[in-house]
Every structure is written in structure tokens, then in C-alpha cells.
Amino acid sequence: MNTRVRFRFVRFRNYKDFRDYSISLRPFNVMVGPNNCGKSTIIGAFRILSEGIRRAKARKPDYVELPEGPTPAYPVELEGLPVSTENVFTDYDDSEPAVVVFGLSNNNRLKLVFPEIKKCYLVCEASTKAVH
């Protein structure tokens, strides 16, 4: 039995050029396409997630006020990441958060929430029990 957790999909909402976009993932993926079609945006989201996971391993979550109410979340330090994070909101519209959801094969989700400019939180959503 294979117990390795893998990414099943990534969904972008109000994130950079992706107003509402999702991709399905398989165990092996190749991205190809012309310039400015979003390949680097997708890779950048995974880089930010990696930083969020690194931080989450080292500390307990803070409770932050997100649109769904007080939520346990891990602050993600964007400064110094090799990713452009100045303009994370589609069409510069920051009236709603930019969100990237990573769906996992165990039905859990990792969510990057950008509630305002230069702020990012990692939220872990479990399908059955709390994520630690």
C-alpha cells in the first residue's frame, strides 16, 4: 500500500493573472507553454508553500482573522523568497484575498491566503482530524 501523500490539484483564486484557475496533477507532471502563460506563477506558488511548510514545522499556528473568521494559520515570510510577490492580486483588486489551494491525495488541503499586500498565511485544512 502506497501511503505517500501527493498533490492532486492546485486552485488559484484572485492570484496574479489567475482570477479562477485550477490544474489537476498526476504523480509526474511537465509544464510547457509560451511565455507569460503562468508557468512561473505556478512554480512560485509551490515555493511560497515550501516556505510556509518550513515555518509550520518550527512553530505552532497563530490565530488570525481571515474572511472565514479566526483561523489557526502560519505566517509566511515573503521577504527574500525568489518569487515576485508584489502583485499577487488579479488586476490589483485586493478587495478579496488571493488564495491558492493545494489539494492532497489524503483529502487534506494546504491553503495560502494573501489577505493584503505583503501578507501571507498557510492554513492547513484536514478532512477528518486536526493537522499538526
Side-chain angles (χ1 to χ4, degrees):
M1 179 168 86
N2 186 0
T3 59
R4 295 190 87 173
V5 176
R6 68 174 189 85
F7 293 100
R8 286 190 3 211
F9 68 85
V10 183
R11 182 174 301 127
F12 300 88
R13 206 172 63 239
N14 196 33
Y15 183 78
K16 297 199 174 206
D17 281 342
F18 297 138
R19 165 89 43 215
D20 187 12
Y21 180 74
S22 64
I23 56 173
S24 296
L25 299 172
R26 300 200 178 256
F28 181 80
N29 301 277
V30 177
M31 284 195 304
V32 295
N35 291 342
N36 293 321
C37 72
K39 299 181 303 289
S40 295
T41 298
I42 294 167
I43 297 297
F46 275 99
R47 286 184 173 152
I48 296 169
L49 176 64
S50 176
E51 175 64 14
I53 290 171
R54 188 182 70 75
R55 292 241 179 205
K57 287 180 177 180
R59 61 184 292 187
K60 292 184 182 283
D62 298 334
Y63 275 82
V64 296
E65 191 62 43
L66 295 177
E68 55 268 15
T71 306
Y74 301 91
V76 180
E77 181 61 49
L78 299 174
E79 191 74 30
L81 286 178
V83 176
S84 172
T85 58
E86 297 86 37
N87 305 319
V88 297
F89 299 99
T90 302
D91 296 330
Y92 302 98
D93 179 6
D94 62 355
S95 62
E96 63 180 80
V99 179
V100 182
V101 178
F102 300 85
L104 305 175
S105 59
N106 62 3
N107 293 323
N108 292 340
R109 295 177 181 204
L110 300 172
K111 184 164 66 171
L112 295 174
V113 181
F114 301 82
E116 59 188 73
I117 295 170
K118 297 186 180 183
K119 289 227 180 211
C120 179
Y121 297 100
L122 171 62
V123 178
C124 304
E125 297 177 341
S127 60
T128 56
K129 57 184 178 178
V131 177
H132 298 285

